[in-house]
Amino acid sequence: MPAVFFPKRKGSQFDLRPPMRFVGVGVLAAFLGIALAAAASCAAEQEKPLTYVDVLRQLTDLDRLTRLQTGCRAGLFSSWDRASKTRWGANGDAGQYLRVEPDGEAVMMELDGPGVIYRAWSANPVGKIRIYLDGAEDPNYECDFPDLFDGKTPPFVKPLVYRRDGPQSASDCYLPVPFAKHVKIAADKPHGQYYQFNYVLFPKDRQVASFRLPLNAEEEAALSSAVDAWSHPGRDPKPQLPGQQTITKTVTLEAGQAALLCELKNAGMIRSIRARVQSDQRYAWRKLVLCGEWDNGPWPQILTPLGPFFGFDWETAEYGSVTTGCLKGQAYQFFPMPFRNSARLSLKSYLEKPATVEFEIQWAPQAQVPDDSVYFFARWRHEPDSKTFDYPFLETAGRGHFVGVAMPIDHPLGGWWGEGDEKVWVDDDDFTPWIGTGSEDYFGDAWGIRYLSGPSFGASSMKGHRTCNYRWHFMDFVPFAKRMRMTIENYGPNGQGPRGQYDYTSTAFWYQAEKSPPFDQLRGVKYTGGDDPDGKPAPMEYSSQPFQDVNADSL
């Protein structure tokens, strides 16, 4: 008989079932001081009470990413090694908890609301997990931790949950758990788990309905709709807009040639981009470079090899996520891209042989673009033989939110390359409040990275010593009001080094209000970090030139 996720009621029969529980208690100020610093304002459409139906619709609502998410704050609770405070590259990332209660319960997360937990992950979900909501003294919900990910415990159903192999393998859950006032997540006792919980906090005056079971009919319908959308990669989850139309164009580029794909001269929004590539030369997806310019900005908002723009690299992949993918040779990109006056897309070839590319660009005119509309960015970085310990995905200034990354890596040496933790600094963060537990963990896997075609995480291609990973934050976006920095550690082979033997590249995806990031505002801005994994964290400075030009040499 499949496991059933039951509310736990004190003294009732419901605690017979697989244990999972959540509770709300006092919060450790050391962990929450930064996370609770959200401003008390939000976009007008966000001021109405947020129901669970609304939260479930966010699983497919890509259009909300085109609006500034004022007053929100994203974060991560994880089992990161707390010794990183004194040794920057400390790597004992299992069995670390906020605290262990007198009754032995191990607290993994505790936070004041309102907010939503959008993602739970573990490499070894052991024991029971308990969820306490809004100050409850006893857990509102409880189950065996592994059963949260097996797809047999409604409403934690596939493909919103994923398990790679057996119970002690890569486990991901994207069923959102909202909380109005407070949330605590705990294990029944310390089990040495690796764990991560990603959340977004809303302004204090935002009304949010806390997670409750069983779901009502409207919530079940919203869940079914999200499951259907996530189960059909390649199908755009966004609605058609009035006047939406398709531009089709086929271009054949000789070596060094560029071609205009589209030039739009009014307000509008690109809804999707699809492409096919034919070339006799290898790695055509890396050596064809896409450029996108909104409203005549002084800095191309899109400048990236074509493959990473679609979440893969080098050669045609076969994978599908909610926002990007490549199925039967046709790549797709569904992140919406608004503009107020003009949009221009072009393609340049750095190949030595001809390439033919077929494009389908869907767009819709808009009579008026909202004042809080934000621009879409996709920018590529490359560090051949990277020696940087905290390899940066993104450093930017301004207002906006990060929504994902594609990270192709060429790792010619034998041994495990992906031991690094992701880290995030937002606005006035000094020591990062966000540290992950490993490269493969950030990309949704565990105990190494293998090919994985997941709805918002995975490895789109893995051939020999070349791997392309991706992670999309279209639910658990990372807002920033001044600046943002996101990195991933580069340890070298088997976590031992020496560094400088891997080719690191990445395309970061984000939205922000400014046409061009005011990078000058990053000059002289300090944070606590490090460039030596064995050293003590020390003051560092943001880079005011985080992205280089894309040319034949850099490709």
Side-chain angles (χ1 to χ4, degrees):
M1 179 178 179
V4 182
F5 185 89
F6 277 123
K8 181 171 180 178
R9 295 289 181 263
K10 188 174 182 179
S12 78
Q13 60 184 353
F14 289 151
D15 48 3
L16 297 174
R17 295 291 183 172
M20 163 176 177
R21 83 183 188 189
F22 300 40
V23 173
V25 182
V27 186
L28 292 179
F31 290 92
L32 302 182
I34 297 173
L36 300 178
S41 63
C42 206
E45 73 274 9
Q46 293 181 334
E47 292 176 356
K48 64 180 183 179
L50 192 70
T51 68
Y52 195 51
V53 169
D54 297 326
V55 172
L56 289 170
R57 287 173 177 164
Q58 291 175 353
L59 294 171
T60 56
D61 183 9
L62 303 183
D63 283 322
R64 75 182 181 125
L65 301 175
T66 66
R67 311 292 290 273
L68 200 61
Q69 303 294 319
T70 308
C72 297
R73 175 85 187 191
L76 173 75
F77 281 84
S78 79
S79 54
W80 65 283
D81 190 341
R82 276 57 169 171
S84 298
K85 294 178 180 179
T86 56
R87 185 168 62 87
W88 186 237
N91 197 34
D93 294 325
Q96 305 273 354
Y97 303 97
L98 295 186
R99 66 180 181 275
V100 176
E101 304 283 24
D103 64 359
E105 190 175 67
V107 179
M108 296 185 282
M109 172 180 183
E110 189 168 30
L111 188 64
D112 281 340
V116 177
I117 300 167
Y118 286 105
R119 173 183 180 259
W121 167 93
S122 181
N124 57 336
V126 183
K128 301 179 186 297
I129 185 173
R130 297 166 177 168
I131 303 176
Y132 299 78
L133 295 169
D134 301 335
E137 294 182 2
D138 294 305
N140 299 85
Y141 304 101
E142 180 178 61
C143 81
D144 287 332
F145 201 3
D147 292 344
L148 191 65
F149 307 100
D150 64 6
K152 302 175 183 178
T153 308
F156 296 84
V157 295
K158 298 178 180 179
L160 302 185
V161 300
Y162 167 81
R163 174 188 289 168
R164 174 166 291 275
D165 299 311
Q168 305 307 306
S169 64
S171 301
D172 298 80
C173 173
Y174 277 87
L175 184 81
V177 176
F179 53 98
K181 297 178 181 179
H182 193 86
V183 64
K184 186 176 88 168
I185 298 181
D188 58 317
K189 63 180 181 179
H191 290 282
Q193 299 106 323
Y194 291 88
Y195 65 85
Q196 297 184 4
F197 297 96
N198 291 83
Y199 65 88
V200 175
L201 290 177
F202 305 127
K204 281 295 185 182
D205 57 357
R206 186 74 191 277
Q207 297 182 48
V208 175
S210 292
F211 184 70
R212 290 290 182 268
L213 291 179
L215 303 184
N216 62 35
E218 188 180 11
E219 292 165 344
E220 289 281 6
L223 176 64
S224 177
S225 178
V227 166
D228 180 66
W230 280 41
S231 299
H232 291 88
R235 189 178 72 188
D236 193 345
K238 302 189 303 298
Q240 290 269 325
L241 295 183
Q244 186 163 318
Q245 52 197 280
T246 301
I247 299 170
T248 59
K249 188 158 188 175
T250 299
V251 296
T252 297
L253 299 176
E254 300 293 335
Q257 278 190 329
L260 181 67
L261 304 178
C262 74
E263 190 161 22
L264 307 171
K265 292 293 189 180
N266 54 347
M269 185 183 299
I270 291 178
R271 304 296 285 163
S272 68
I273 300 175
R274 292 177 170 87
R276 292 182 183 272
V277 172
Q278 295 180 345
S279 177
D280 291 334
Q281 186 171 339
R282 297 177 68 190
Y283 311 142
W285 289 96
R286 165 65 72 90
K287 292 183 177 291
L288 293 166
V289 174
L290 182 67
C291 179
E293 301 162 278
W294 320 131
D295 295 347
N296 297 310
W299 192 71
Q301 288 92 347
I302 297 175
L303 190 61
T304 175
L306 195 59
F309 180 74
F310 295 108
F312 61 98
D313 204 355
W314 301 295
E315 299 176 346
T316 304
E318 182 69 21
Y319 91 102
S321 74
V322 173
T323 55
T324 64
C326 187
L327 301 173
K328 297 181 179 179
Q330 185 182 55
Y332 63 88
Q333 167 63 264
F334 293 151
F335 279 119
M337 309 171 197
F339 49 93
R340 290 181 170 83
N341 302 304
S342 65
R344 189 177 192 274
L345 290 174
S346 60
L347 188 71
K348 185 171 182 177
S349 173
Y350 291 91
L351 293 161
E352 289 77 40
K353 295 182 180 181
T356 298
V357 188
E358 302 172 14
F359 276 94
E360 294 180 13
I361 302 167
Q362 288 197 326
W363 78 285
Q366 291 187 297
Q368 184 176 3
V369 177
D371 291 340
D372 63 351
S373 180
V374 286
Y375 295 103
F376 175 78
F377 289 75
R379 294 288 302 221
W380 188 69
R381 291 191 74 258
H382 181 200
E383 289 189 11
D385 303 321
S386 176
K387 295 183 179 180
T388 304
F389 180 62
D390 285 318
Y391 170 87
F393 292 151
L394 176 63
E395 286 180 286
T396 189
R399 299 170 297 148
H401 41 271
F402 173 80
V403 294
V405 65
M407 186 182 187
I409 298 177
D410 191 337
H411 44 96
L413 296 183
W416 171 229
W417 59 266
E419 196 60 30
D421 304 340
E422 85 275 13
K423 300 169 184 172
V424 177
W425 293 257
V426 168
D427 297 341
D428 295 323
D429 287 342
D430 180 17
F431 190 95
T432 169
W434 176 319
I435 302 180
T437 57
S439 304
E440 77 271 44
D441 310 346
Y442 174 69
F443 294 112
D445 212 332
W447 313 115
I449 287 180
R450 292 142 289 180
Y451 171 79
L452 171 57
S453 179
S456 63
F457 57 89
S460 55
S461 61
M462 190 170 184
K463 295 183 178 180
H465 54 81
R466 291 187 174 95
T467 301
C468 185
N469 314 286
Y470 64 92
R471 170 81 178 273
W472 312 130
H473 293 258
F474 56 89
M475 301 144 306
D476 55 326
F477 54 82
V478 185
F480 53 92
K482 295 181 181 179
R483 67 189 74 90
M484 178 180 166
R485 183 173 196 266
M486 183 170 187
T487 66
I488 197 163
E489 292 171 342
N490 168 19
Y491 276 95
N494 297 317
Q496 303 297 321
R499 296 188 302 281
Q501 301 174 79
Y502 296 151
D503 187 274
Y504 270 40
T505 65
S506 59
T507 295
F509 298 81
W510 77 100
Y511 290 85
Q512 74 173 79
E514 298 81 9
K515 281 193 292 186
S516 178
F519 290 120
D520 286 351
Q521 295 180 11
L522 298 179
R523 286 199 177 97
V525 177
K526 296 183 183 296
Y527 63 92
T528 294
D531 53 17
D532 178 3
D534 293 320
K536 186 177 181 180
M540 309 281 288
E541 287 193 5
Y542 275 79
S543 170
S544 60
Q545 294 182 314
F547 295 97
Q548 66 268 57
D549 289 336
V550 180
N551 53 46
D553 292 335
S554 64
L555 293 169

